Amino acid sequence: MPDRGYDARMSEPVKPRRAAIAAGILTAAYVIASFLVREVPDSWVALLGGPDNRVDRIGGLRVQYKSAAGEVQQFDYEGVTEDQVPDVIDALVNGGLQMRVVVESNLFAELGFAEEPRGEHDPGAVVLEFDQWRPEDGGGIHTDTYLRGPSREAIERALVAHPNRIQLPEGTSLVFERTDPWEGARDRHTYWRTYLVSDEVPIDGTMIDNATKSFDPNTNRPTVLLDFTEDGTKKFCNVTLRIVGSKLATILGGRVRSAPIINGAICGGRASITMGGSDPIEQEREADALASVLLNGALPIGGTIVSKELVPAGNAAPFEWGARLFAGLLAGLVIGLVTLLVVGFSRPRWRVTPPAPAGTTFPWRRFAVTLLAPASLFFGGNMMMPGINDIELEHIVQGYAGVQFSVVALGITPLITSFILVELVALAVPRLRWRRHDVVGRIALGKAVAVVALVVALVQAYFVVSYLESLSRSGAEIMLVTGLKARFLIMGSLAAATMLLAVVAGLIREHGLGNGYGALLASATLILVLRPVLDEPADAVMTFGVRHLLALVTAAVIAVATAAVLRWRIAGAEREPDLRLPTTGITPLSGVGGLLVVIMTLSAMGLGLAFYDAYVKVLELHTRLVVGLAILVAAVPLYGWLFSRPSVVERVAMQAGLDRPSRRAWLRGTVVSGALLLGVSLVVHFTIAEDSIERALTEGISIMVCTAVWLDLRADGRAYRQKLVPAGVLHQIQYAGVVERVLADSGVPCHIHASHLRALLAFFGPFAPAIVMVPEEHGPAARTRVDDVLRAATSKPPVALLQEPARRPHGTLRQPSDAEDAPQEEPG
């Protein structure tokens, strides 16, 4: 049954106490789940009577160390097991982690060391080897010489016994690396080799903020992921930029662990070290030892170890659970109190869902049409681009190549990009502004979006083809078809798939449930979550852990909070229209308070901003919690004022004989909206997400969109149990309160199609319209009333939105006359 518009009997005030209790419970659940993934701080455990340090809690190595000055200090290394102690001690007494630049030299060839004779192989000999490589940027060939021998001691003996006096270049040192045979190699001997490295140590263990053990997705070898400090990030970026094309040796415990070629500046603040060797158990032990040393730091050079003790793990689990529960309770009380104050101040009302009409059935046909969204993305994601060797591609591309290089790889991204570009142009050009809220004007802008989207899709497809061609040039047989034929084939298929998704979105909007683009966005998130489960159900069950539990709790918290606020209304005085929430949409959450949209606008106006530099700086702000929250707090009133200020609705309300919405009602609505967005931002920031499922479940904007789509599907499924016809299209969701009041005063029940998604997509509103639906028998009267109300929304004379069936075929539009086509300034 359609909503009956403004009716006090069908809305109830939100009770602050109940809202506070619900918010407190959700917060407590999230905090408890969060500390199942994060480590509970030692101070919290000690506060409840448990161990006050990590080694006593989880076990590890405790070292008493006497420095060169005679001072005895204690060093703790948690998580070290008995079989890791030798590796850890070796790393501790040899300076910990160092990264040094490899110096390319012909020293050993000049000294007269001989190469191994061709066809002969003596595993016990020390021989000369040449190392050659070419950087990815296509520069010149780099050549380095080194010595290879069966052991480090054998190479050192050969150097001492050499008849020529060996003198290393000034400012360099000689270090060694152990090379273990790879599985399947004919020669099963372990070899050692030399590196000549600079004495300068640009990166050391003090610049490591965090170190965690992981696994290489391609080789499954254990790796250690390094997160640098702010100072370490800058220095690592500078040194990698300076030595592009050369090698950087990672030295731990005096031994080289890896020496990769630097093909470009690495400025993301993260690096990785892959363990060598062929024994998986030894590789994991070395990775654990390396992570422990990097987290706790090496011992000062020049002292001696007085004693070392392997500390067993203590029984800290009860105290840790007590700390989790206490943290959850405290956070729940704080958020509950904040919710009590916010709801008490804003005094929202929520719409009571009317019962379904008796004797009606669910609109299964519309539901079937809506299923086109997930079906097109799922089956399209399993269709590889034409002319691609998918088997070879799977070997060199991380992740699920079938999705990344399917015919729907571009998705609806070109359409969204085109929406932004066309909307910005329509806002910037005065003669086009009237088209944003006019039916005929929207048709013209829609055609412009289609043309721009096709161009954007072709450009993006061109870069995809160029990337695949670069993979083929590197030796991988990716392209089964080459030349212009391949480009036209792949670019055409990608662009055609994007246009097909646009057609699917249009079909859902007209004949399905909810908004078509919203259904595609929600389906994409759903497929990201379910695809690993559908592909490998056994692996998905086996790998399900506490991080996935935290991701599910995060998604639930965001969804419940979003669903509640979307159903709330801010009611002003008796003759004021209701205000939809959130008044800001989700724009403040995107691009650090929507700053990227502002940057794009200013760049288009030619104010001299370098877009890329500004883009990088904005993304850097996103990683700083305090700065990001400050920008969000400032963006909430800004976008609330742009999208929902009283003057936006004033002319439409006055046309309907209602009072102008008050600024106090707007302020109350903006406070609720800000609280929602701030809460979502905090939840997302403190959530840990590593795999595709976790990332999909903790993407705040995606979960909010999915929630709005679900509410729209649910509302449409109830409303379409009877015959409904469109009575108007709202390109500004705040007009809904006026239309509902006017139709209710006329005795006409109505349903606002896709209104929840429209409330979230405030900036994209004209491209995600909310459609006023009424029972068929009320169609003619409702169209007249809605058209009369919306005449104040445009600067042109009113355009009859949908003509009466007796006068014109259903759904046709009247074109404006030449006299009407003189746009003026529109309100808001």
Side-chain angles (χ1 to χ4, degrees):
M1 179 178 181
D3 295 345
R4 293 188 177 275
Y6 180 80
D7 189 341
R9 295 171 299 176
M10 297 187 65
S11 64
E12 295 180 357
V14 177
K15 297 183 178 179
R17 184 177 300 178
R18 290 186 179 180
I21 292 174
I25 292 174
L26 288 174
T27 302
Y30 169 77
V31 170
I32 293 172
S34 176
F35 281 105
L36 289 174
V37 177
R38 290 184 175 82
E39 291 292 342
V40 179
D42 293 335
S43 57
W44 296 9
V45 176
L47 185 65
L48 299 178
D52 60 355
N53 63 76
R54 292 280 298 163
V55 168
D56 289 329
R57 282 174 58 187
I58 67 173
L61 180 66
R62 178 164 290 155
V63 177
Q64 297 289 334
Y65 186 78
K66 186 176 182 179
S67 67
E71 181 183 1
V72 178
Q73 296 175 285
Q74 176 177 299
F75 294 87
D76 290 343
Y77 299 92
E78 70 266 11
V80 177
T81 59
E82 184 175 3
D83 58 346
Q84 296 171 357
V85 171
D87 290 312
V88 171
I89 294 296
D90 178 64
L92 293 178
V93 299
N94 286 285
L97 174 74
Q98 296 180 347
M99 291 187 180
R100 300 192 191 183
V101 178
V102 174
V103 178
E104 299 165 24
S105 169
N106 196 35
L107 173 67
F108 298 112
E110 294 174 352
L111 289 173
F113 280 94
E115 298 181 64
E116 188 173 56
R118 182 172 299 179
E120 299 181 14
H121 177 60
D122 182 3
V126 176
V127 296
L128 176 70
E129 295 279 0
F130 288 87
D131 190 7
Q132 289 188 335
W133 67 90
R134 184 190 296 273
E136 289 183 356
D137 62 1
I141 296 177
H142 292 246
T143 302
D144 188 22
T145 61
Y146 64 93
L147 296 180
R148 189 200 71 194
S151 66
R152 175 173 179 170
E153 293 76 11
I155 297 177
E156 290 176 336
R157 287 194 300 266
L159 291 172
V160 172
H162 196 274
N164 297 327
R165 183 174 181 272
I166 299 177
Q167 184 173 1
L168 299 179
E170 185 178 355
T172 64
S173 303
L174 200 63
V175 292
F176 299 85
E177 178 187 29
R178 188 183 72 188
T179 303
D180 295 296
W182 55 275
E183 186 177 355
R186 294 182 180 179
D187 189 352
R188 304 298 298 172
H189 293 91
T190 295
Y191 292 97
W192 287 72
R193 61 155 294 177
T194 62
Y195 281 100
L196 191 64
V197 298
S198 170
D199 285 341
E200 179 190 4
V201 184
I203 305 294
D204 59 31
T206 62
M207 302 175 189
I208 304 300
D209 183 55
N210 190 28
T212 55
K213 186 181 77 172
S214 184
F215 292 89
D216 189 292
N218 294 320
T219 64
N220 204 36
R221 282 179 174 265
T223 63
V224 177
L225 301 179
L226 308 179
D227 290 315
F228 293 105
T229 62
E230 184 175 353
D231 180 56
T233 298
K234 294 179 181 178
K235 290 186 176 180
F236 192 66
C237 178
N238 291 335
V239 70
T240 53
L241 178 63
R242 176 167 54 89
I243 66 168
V244 170
S246 299
K247 291 185 176 183
L248 182 67
T250 299
I251 305 170
L252 182 68
R255 177 159 63 92
V256 175
R257 301 305 174 108
S258 64
I261 302 169
I262 303 301
N263 288 302
I266 305 174
C267 302
R270 170 166 281 200
S272 65
I273 303 174
T274 302
M275 298 298 102
S278 58
D279 185 353
I281 297 178
E282 184 178 356
Q283 291 172 358
E284 289 206 40
R285 186 175 68 244
E286 287 193 357
D288 290 329
L290 173 57
S292 181
V293 171
L294 293 178
L295 282 173
N296 298 278
L299 298 173
I301 297 177
T304 58
I305 294 179
V306 177
S307 66
K308 55 180 182 289
E309 175 190 5
L310 196 64
V311 181
N315 185 22
F319 303 101
E320 292 176 349
W321 271 107
R324 292 187 185 102
L325 295 175
F326 176 77
L329 177 62
L330 181 62
L333 288 175
V334 172
I335 298 301
L337 178 61
V338 172
T339 304
L340 183 69
L341 296 175
V342 170
V343 176
F345 170 77
S346 59
R347 302 192 308 277
R349 302 181 68 89
W350 66 286
R351 187 66 56 85
V352 178
T353 303
T360 58
T361 59
F362 184 80
W364 292 107
R365 291 184 179 179
R366 285 185 171 272
F367 179 72
V369 173
T370 306
L371 291 180
L372 288 175
S376 59
L377 291 177
F378 181 80
F379 291 110
N382 287 291
M383 296 176 59
M384 188 65 67
M385 298 176 192
I388 299 298
N389 185 347
D390 57 330
I391 298 177
E392 182 70 18
L393 193 61
E394 287 283 356
H395 287 294
I396 63 174
V397 177
Q398 298 182 13
Y400 186 72
V403 175
Q404 298 180 45
F405 297 97
S406 67
V407 293
V408 294
L410 299 183
I412 59 174
T413 302
L415 293 165
I416 295 176
T417 303
S418 303
F419 287 163
I420 295 176
L421 294 175
V422 172
E423 188 72 0
L424 290 175
V425 171
L427 281 170
V429 180
R431 290 184 57 83
L432 296 179
R433 291 176 188 168
W434 67 271
R435 296 181 181 273
R436 298 178 59 246
H437 297 293
D438 178 82
V439 178
V440 176
R442 286 253 59 92
I443 294 175
L445 293 181
K447 293 178 180 178
V449 167
V451 174
V452 175
L454 182 59
V455 174
V456 172
L458 290 173
V459 171
Q460 292 182 346
Y462 171 79
F463 287 112
V464 172
V465 177
S466 300
Y467 173 69
L468 293 173
E469 290 177 341
S470 68
L471 292 179
S472 297
R473 286 193 296 270
S474 65
E477 297 181 359
I478 301 298
M479 306 288 290
L480 299 177
V481 182
T482 58
L484 290 176
K485 181 179 179 181
R487 296 196 173 210
F488 287 134
L489 189 64
I490 296 178
M491 291 171 61
S493 64
L494 290 177
T498 296
M499 295 300 105
L500 179 61
L501 291 179
V503 173
V504 170
L507 288 174
I508 294 174
R509 184 186 61 207
E510 294 293 334
H511 306 289
L513 301 175
N515 178 270
Y517 290 110
L520 287 170
L521 292 172
S523 298
T525 300
L526 183 64
I527 290 174
L528 280 176
V529 174
L530 295 181
R531 183 178 288 278
V533 179
L534 296 175
D535 290 341
E536 299 290 343
D539 290 347
V541 173
M542 292 295 295
T543 57
F544 184 86
V546 290
R547 289 201 314 270
H548 296 92
L549 176 63
L550 174 60
L552 288 171
V553 173
T554 301
V557 169
I558 296 174
V560 171
T562 303
V565 173
L566 283 173
R567 293 186 62 190
W568 291 354
R569 307 286 186 271
I570 298 298
E574 182 179 355
R575 295 297 296 172
E576 285 185 24
D578 291 347
L579 193 63
R580 292 264 176 159
L581 299 176
T583 58
T584 60
I586 56 175
T587 305
L589 283 179
S590 61
V592 192
L595 282 182
L596 291 184
V597 177
V598 177
I599 292 172
M600 292 172 64
T601 305
L602 294 178
S603 300
M605 294 171 63
L607 297 184
L609 289 177
F611 174 74
Y612 180 76
D613 293 341
Y615 177 79
V616 171
K617 291 180 180 179
V618 170
L619 289 184
E620 289 178 355
L621 292 176
H622 186 62
T623 62
R624 303 178 183 178
L625 177 61
V626 176
V627 176
L629 293 181
I631 293 175
L632 179 61
V633 170
V636 165
L638 170 64
Y639 288 103
W641 187 255
L642 288 175
F643 299 145
S644 305
R645 67 186 184 275
S647 60
V648 170
V649 190
E650 178 182 9
R651 292 175 60 178
V652 177
M654 295 179 63
Q655 180 74 16
L658 303 177
D659 294 338
R660 170 185 177 176
S662 65
R663 291 190 177 182
R664 182 170 179 80
W666 170 83
L667 177 62
R668 288 158 48 199
T670 303
V671 168
V672 175
S673 305
L676 170 67
L677 300 183
L678 191 64
V680 171
S681 179
L682 287 172
V683 167
V684 171
H685 182 85
F686 287 107
T687 298
I688 299 175
E690 295 183 0
D691 62 23
S692 60
I693 296 178
E694 295 163 8
R695 286 190 291 269
L697 289 172
T698 56
E699 175 59 43
I701 291 179
S702 297
I703 297 301
M704 295 180 76
V705 169
C706 289
T707 304
V709 170
W710 165 250
L711 291 177
D712 285 333
L713 294 178
R714 184 170 174 268
D716 283 3
R718 182 181 298 273
Y720 282 113
R721 290 172 181 262
Q722 59 178 311
K723 181 67 173 179
L724 300 179
V725 295
V729 178
L730 306 180
H731 295 294
Q732 164 56 266
I733 193 59
Q734 298 304 340
Y735 296 160
V738 178
V739 171
E740 289 172 339
R741 179 73 70 95
V742 168
L743 293 180
D745 291 344
S746 302
V748 179
C750 73
H751 164 69
I752 309 296
H753 168 83
S755 61
H756 298 96
L757 181 67
R758 173 62 185 83
L760 284 184
L761 304 181
F763 182 77
F764 292 98
F767 300 100
I771 305 174
V772 182
M773 307 297 295
V774 298
E776 188 174 22
E777 62 272 17
H778 295 287
R783 292 187 192 105
T784 302
R785 292 294 290 132
V786 171
D787 198 36
D788 288 342
V789 170
L790 296 182
R791 72 172 63 236
T794 67
S795 55
K796 298 163 66 267
V799 175
L801 179 63
L802 296 170
Q803 302 299 324
E804 297 182 20
R807 297 171 50 192
R808 184 166 298 186
H810 175 67
T812 60
L813 300 173
R814 178 171 64 86
Q815 297 291 339
S817 65
D818 294 338
E820 294 173 338
D821 198 28
Q824 304 170 13
E825 191 71 18
E826 66 171 24

